[in-house]
Amino acid sequence: MLLSGNEAIALGAFEAGVKVASAYPGTPSTEILESLSRFSGVYTEWAPNEKVAVEVCLGASFAGARTLAAMKHVGLNVAADPLFTSAYTGVRGGFVIVTADDPEMHSSQNEQDNRNYAFAAKIPMLEPADSFEAKEFTRRAFEISEAFDTPVLIRTTTRVSHVKGVVTPGELMDLKVEPGIVKDPDKFVMLPVNARKRRAALEDRLARLREFAETFPENVIEPGRGKRGFITSGVSYLHVKEAFPDAPVLKLGMIYPFPEKLIRSFAEKMEEIFIVEELDPFIELHVKAMGVPCRGKEVIPAYGEIDARVVRQAVTGIAEEPAFAPVEVPARPPNLCPGCPHRGLFFALSRLDVFVAGDIGCYTLAFFKPLETMDSCVCMGASIGNAFGMEKAIGKDALGKVVAVIGDSTFIHSGITGLIDIVYNRGFSTVIILDNRTTAMTGQQENPVTGQTLSGEKTVEVDLPALCRAVGVEHVYRINPNDIEKTYQLLKREVERPEPSVVITEYPCVLLPVEKQKKKPVHLVILEKCTGCRTCLKLGCPAIEWVPVTEEEAVRLGMRPNQKGYARINPVLCDGCGQCAPLCKFQAIVIEEEGGSEGER
């Protein structure tokens, strides 16, 4: 069967007998849990954040279940606290953590290389090169986890996560650990007196893992012709094979710990060694630390994705043209969707002279023209802390000049503590929570605010206004952001309030299936009333088009001779949000049933 790397990991986990899986959605890892949730007998959940996901899986492992946590690369930063200590406690049931790196930053705020986490946390890491290996390595990871009493990291990158390949389903694996409560405080309670003992045990485990890596069948030398050899791993291996199909290659399936004897054995037979890897010189540094001469980042790019052409060009020094020239496509700048409720909020904010501390979500697109209403964006949950920090730096002069904007799912992920900080430390920042009833950016996943679980079951719905009041915010407001004027007036008042306040904008994402099925009014422009003032274009709605006209055309259409054009609403794109109509002071934008005809669009 053809599966993506993410789907293959889910199949491998199912075949390995995983019982509990937890994740926070994040590209390129999201489909792992979505795929795994379709298998019977596996408990799957969206956790509020990656730290909770790891903690849930570690607890289930303590109870003897095989468990899997999945996240994108930056998610492992959030989970780093339990991750490092889990290396000390070890496991009972096999515990596998998938970290999906994003070279080239297709959908991320940075492109960190999470192989460094394996080294820093002293946890073994496997790195599959394709979908077939993604499934097989997942099965092996659970075996290694239980055999060595350790969590195991699996690192994928965007290409492995999303590209499909042939995968062969396998037999269900036998479980070796009996589920149940087993009290073992010396192992699971990390008081210093116990942690010091476990630290020594950790070193002993690493020594055994290094020996294991020497004979691990996925660390393999592929003989070839010539004396130029390559050491590589993951998707970089495929690029090397495409660029130099006959060259000798040492392919590392276990990227940490390193099989030093195997590396030396390979290098001794070569006259020249190239280390081919994306992002950091992770293998290169360790190979050089062994005293093995090699070349790596002085020729292979240290950032972004690589491909066979890049590898071939880097090694030979001969410049090559790309095999496929970029296809000319019409320019289409990044933009919020037609009908997106966030557009109303950001348009209202654009009328205020405030610094907008933003957060991670599709609303970050408000950074682009014409809205240009996003002044900072650091990481999940950072907007509230950023705004409060500016407030503290500037003092009372910050009143009315700074707001924080954060999505509903992101607020639950890691924004709550920032809001508590504002209240506890007597700040006055205004926090705007964009509640669109989903985790939109990663593909409409459920979260604790939506009232549904990953499997679609009804559940308790977090009451955002009550939650904000519970942490001490006295001024909490809910508003429909499609009503731009009311939203503007509310924000104008609240940013001047010398106390903390929260404004919750409530309107569903237009891409939710239930929203797409709704029959909504289509708006159109009455040509005779349009003066070409362009005010409606300031919304940046993709449904509103500008039609330029010549002087002759303007006269023929009944316009002023010097009118340069008119606005037109594309009925296919119009979502009926109605944000545009009140902006037109000439009442040229109306609902289709209220006036106008097909020819007037």
Side-chain angles (χ1 to χ4, degrees), residues 178-193:
E178 187 69 26
I181 300 296
V182 175
K183 293 191 175 183
D184 191 354
D186 289 346
K187 174 175 164 61
F188 294 143
V189 180
M190 285 304 98
L191 285 168
V193 64

Side-chain angles (χ1 to χ4, degrees), residues 89-241:
T89 63
V91 304
R92 280 193 66 232
F95 178 26
V96 174
I97 304 166
V98 182
T99 168
D101 289 7
D102 187 16
E104 205 73 43
M105 294 174 281
H106 296 282
S107 182
S108 305
Q109 64 269 40
N110 68 42
E111 61 173 12
Q112 69 189 44
D113 189 331
N114 277 4
R115 293 178 298 176
N116 295 296
Y117 267 112
F119 178 70
K122 307 182 191 310
I123 292 175
M125 172 178 274
L126 308 184
E127 186 176 17
D130 54 26
S131 295
F132 175 82
E133 288 191 349
K135 195 208 80 163
E136 298 302 323
F137 282 23
T138 302
R139 291 171 59 106
R140 296 301 302 272
F142 282 102
E143 292 178 328
I144 294 170
S145 176
E146 291 177 358
F148 288 89
D149 184 21
T150 178
V152 175
L153 284 159
I154 293 178
R155 185 223 190 195
T156 63
T157 53
T158 304
R159 296 292 156 182
V160 176
S161 298
H162 289 162
V163 172
K164 294 203 173 189
V166 177
V167 175
T168 305
E171 300 292 327
L172 298 181
M173 296 169 63
D174 293 329
L175 299 179
K176 298 178 180 177
V177 179
E178 187 69 26
I181 300 296
V182 175
K183 293 191 175 183
D184 191 354
D186 289 346
K187 174 175 164 61
F188 294 143
V189 180
M190 285 304 98
L191 285 168
V193 64
N194 291 336
R196 293 189 191 103
K197 296 175 184 174
R198 295 298 298 176
R199 179 70 181 87
L202 179 52
E203 285 304 314
D204 174 67
R205 175 201 300 158
L206 279 175
R208 289 186 288 116
L209 280 165
R210 289 190 188 96
E211 287 301 315
F212 173 77
E214 300 291 352
T215 57
F216 183 53
E218 308 306 336
N219 290 333
V220 57
I221 294 176
E222 297 181 358
R225 289 185 291 184
K227 292 294 183 179
R228 175 194 288 159
F230 294 86
I231 301 177
T232 185
S233 67
V235 74
S236 298
Y237 161 77
L238 299 180
H239 300 323
V240 169
K241 294 298 289 184

